[in-house]
């Protein structure tokens, strides 16, 4: 059984390809709180920024769902630049985790500040942030 702290295994034939969104996509990502997306094969690293509140939750959920539908199988969410994570914002990870597990994928949350980690623990998602 793989623990959340174990590194996500990379497929053998991968190369780093920075994802370059169109101007409209870039605006949607910023509204969802997504600062950067880095694609390496089927591994995607998403960096979130600012406050992730109920207002951003639906947009963030849609963007993460689109990544899974586009072929992402292993997702790392970087919360190191998140200043506030509301329960609704953290709840987005439930749906994303469910979608990833349905296709044999994994989700890991990294860089959560103590306050954001506490929110994840309250929702029962503390193992993702370890």
């Amino acid at each position: 059984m793989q623990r959340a702290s174990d590194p996500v295994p990379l497929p053998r034939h991968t190369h780093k390809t920075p994802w370059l969104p169109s101007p409209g996509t870039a605006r949607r990502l910023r509204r969802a709180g997504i600062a950067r997306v880095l694609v390496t094969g089927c591994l995607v690293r998403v960096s979130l920024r600012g406050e992730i509140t109920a207002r951003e939750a639906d947009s963030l959920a849609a963007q993460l769902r689109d990544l899974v539908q586009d072929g992402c199988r292993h997702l790392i969410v970087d919360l190191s630049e998140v200043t506030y994570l509301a329960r609704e914002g953290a709840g987005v990870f439930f749906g994303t985790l469910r979608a990833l597990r349905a296709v044999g994928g994994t989700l890991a949350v990294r860089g959560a500040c103590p306050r954001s980690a506490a929110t994840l623990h309250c929702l029962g998602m503390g193992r993702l942030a370890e």
Side-chain angles (χ1 to χ4, degrees):
M1 183 173 135
Q2 185 174 358
R3 296 184 330 206
S5 61
D6 292 342
V8 176
L10 290 175
R12 296 187 124 237
H13 302 287
T14 61
H15 62 281
K16 289 188 176 185
T17 307
W19 184 60
L20 301 172
S22 67
T25 303
R27 280 192 297 277
R28 284 195 314 273
L29 291 173
R30 279 193 301 274
R31 278 196 303 265
I34 298 174
R36 288 178 301 280
V37 177
L38 178 65
V39 179
T40 308
C42 61
L43 171 70
V44 177
R45 183 179 186 96
V46 175
S47 298
L48 302 182
R49 176 184 294 159
E51 295 183 354
I52 308 299
T53 64
R55 183 176 181 181
E56 291 85 16
D58 289 338
S59 180
L60 177 60
Q63 296 300 324
L64 295 178
R65 187 173 43 249
D66 287 348
L67 286 173
V68 175
Q69 290 173 350
D70 290 343
C72 169
R73 294 300 173 256
H74 305 286
L75 179 63
I76 298 174
V77 179
D78 181 7
L79 299 179
S80 59
E81 296 180 45
V82 170
T83 56
Y84 175 73
L85 181 65
R87 292 175 70 120
E88 297 84 1
V92 166
F93 302 133
F94 279 118
T96 304
L97 181 60
R98 189 178 315 120
L100 283 165
R101 284 189 175 163
V103 295
T106 59
L107 172 67
V109 178
R110 300 289 181 249
C113 69
R115 188 173 178 182
S116 296
T119 302
L120 292 169
H121 281 290
C122 284
L123 293 174
M125 300 187 74
R127 289 190 58 191
L128 290 178
E130 291 177 346

